[in-house]
Amino acid sequence: DVQLQASGGGSVQAGGSLRLSCATSGFSFDDYAIGWFRQGPGKAREGLSCIASSDGTTYYADSVKGRFTISTDNAKNTVYLQMNSLKPEDTANYYCVAQWIRSSAGTREICRRYDYWGQGTQVTVSS
């Protein structure tokens, strides 16, 4: 069975940093892109950052580009999100997701949808 366990959230001051981790099992990074969605108060679910190890495709939402960095440890089936220069608008529940990429679309629509997701971890940024 597919498992996606996010951790590392917490409460920080604006300008601070957090590193989120997602431990995964039950699927291969060859077949799925892996990454992060978030949903803040009163906001729609947002594809934040995803990576496809199969071809190296990486996606960042404009709102986090230059501040957040996604990485993987394939041997440990783990994905990370390093978040720097955090802003109050980053306050959200952050969810680890897996996206099937062995379709005709491949990675062209990376981080536009997901097929599996975890419970999420809360990030709260105060000003």
Side-chain angles (χ1 to χ4, degrees), residues 19-31:
R19 191 193 194 206
L20 306 184
S21 299
C22 177
T24 78
S25 63
F27 66 95
S28 172
F29 286 7
D30 292 334
D31 301 324

Side-chain angles (χ1 to χ4, degrees), residues 22-99:
C22 177
T24 78
S25 63
F27 66 95
S28 172
F29 286 7
D30 292 334
D31 301 324
Y32 290 83
I34 189 76
W36 301 88
F37 276 57
R38 71 182 180 186
Q39 188 166 28
K43 299 180 180 179
R45 199 88 170 260
E46 176 187 15
L48 187 66
S49 183
C50 298
I51 186 167
S53 295
S54 59
D55 65 2
T57 299
T58 305
Y59 170 88
Y60 292 95
D62 289 342
S63 58
V64 305
K65 193 171 295 183
R67 298 188 297 123
F68 292 10
T69 304
I70 193 169
S71 62
T72 62
D73 186 336
N74 291 11
K76 296 181 179 179
N77 297 310
T78 301
V79 62
Y80 306 96
L81 188 68
Q82 179 66 45
M83 306 187 296
N84 298 326
S85 302
L86 284 162
K87 305 173 181 179
E89 53 262 44
D90 294 319
T91 295
N93 284 311
Y94 285 69
Y95 301 91
C96 184
V97 305
Q99 178 185 2

